[in-house]
Amino acid sequence: MSRPQSADSGMAVCVFCASSGRIDRKFVELAAEVGAELARRGHSLVSGGGQVSCMGAVARAARAGGARTVGVIPEGLASLEIADHDSDELIVTPDMRSRKGEMDRRSDAFLVLPGGIGTLEELFEIWTARVLGMHDKPLVLLDPYGVYEPLRDLMRGLADQGFARPKIFDAISWTGSVAEAFDLLERSQPRIQATPEDYAEAEL
């Protein structure tokens, strides 16, 4: 994944988050706080292109703060997620795979908020690619409410049992603070040096 050329000094930050309308309001408020902080720091947003739940909240808050927003949504979800036509640029892709590829291509860094299986799929794809040295874009997981603690424990258990290498944790940063999340995104992270064993292991 090559880094996109930004039009200004800020980063294009891809935010992976929920589009469910059934979640607690605190998660939507967290997404809005992220959008506001992103704009305050002079970054632009790449999102999943929906205007509902956390996905919509982060985009609206980013625009309210003056940030440029790019939404990327597949045709099949454009009506279900109610496409964010207020985006500065709205890209409709044929399917989910091309959606993720377009989001990756347009982003300098990745921030993961609490979400469901779609968010987890996006997290693991970016995380895996960074472990394998396929990109060096910062990856930060923001989890102030402990939603992902069971996942963290699971990954530690997999590493303890040899299914994953301990260095998988070098490829991601975890935090419960919005400000620290952006500090980590803005901090240069070293490229992960993949080994032949990494590529040979199906589970990494």
Side-chain angles (χ1 to χ4, degrees):
M1 301 180 191
S2 60
R3 290 185 182 275
Q5 296 296 315
S6 299
D8 52 35
S9 58
M11 297 187 299
V13 178
C14 181
V15 177
F16 296 133
C17 59
S19 59
S20 171
R22 298 182 299 276
I23 59 175
D24 192 291
R25 182 68 191 175
K26 67 186 179 184
F27 296 111
V28 178
E29 292 170 353
L30 173 66
E33 185 181 352
V34 165
E37 182 68 7
L38 177 147
R40 189 184 72 79
R41 295 193 182 215
H43 303 310
S44 62
L45 173 71
V46 177
S47 77
Q51 64 169 336
V52 296
S53 189
C54 297
M55 197 179 294
V58 69
R60 286 190 296 273
R63 283 194 294 271
R68 184 174 191 273
T69 64
V70 175
V72 186
I73 192 168
E75 286 180 308
L77 293 181
S79 58
L80 291 177
E81 293 187 0
I82 312 175
D84 183 11
H85 292 287
D86 291 328
S87 295
D88 294 289
E89 185 177 0
L90 181 64
I91 301 154
V92 179
T93 64
D95 50 43
M96 290 289 284
R97 289 189 176 185
S98 54
R99 175 204 212 179
K100 289 188 295 180
E102 188 68 16
M103 292 173 76
D104 297 351
R105 185 181 71 80
R106 288 174 170 267
S107 303
D108 297 306
F110 301 93
L111 179 58
V112 184
L113 308 187
I117 59 173
T119 303
L120 288 173
E121 179 191 22
E122 292 161 335
L123 163 63
F124 276 111
E125 185 165 325
I126 296 300
W127 193 357
T128 299
R130 191 159 201 276
V131 170
L132 293 177
M134 294 179 176
H135 73 86
D136 62 350
K137 301 176 182 181
L139 170 61
V140 175
L141 194 152
L142 174 60
D143 187 25
Y145 301 109
V147 173
Y148 288 127
E149 280 307 306
L151 172 64
R152 199 174 191 178
D153 291 340
L154 171 64
M155 298 309 295
R156 285 171 174 158
L158 291 175
D160 289 344
Q161 296 181 69
F163 289 107
R165 295 177 181 271
K167 73 178 181 182
I168 63 172
F169 293 103
D170 296 337
I172 187 170
S173 298
W174 300 65
T175 182
S177 161
V178 172
E180 184 181 31
F182 281 94
D183 289 344
L184 290 166
L185 289 172
E186 292 167 352
R187 187 179 304 158
S188 177
Q189 294 182 330
R191 178 180 285 276
I192 303 298
Q193 297 298 319
T195 66
E197 289 79 11
D198 291 322
Y199 289 98
E201 289 183 352
E203 296 86 8
L204 300 179

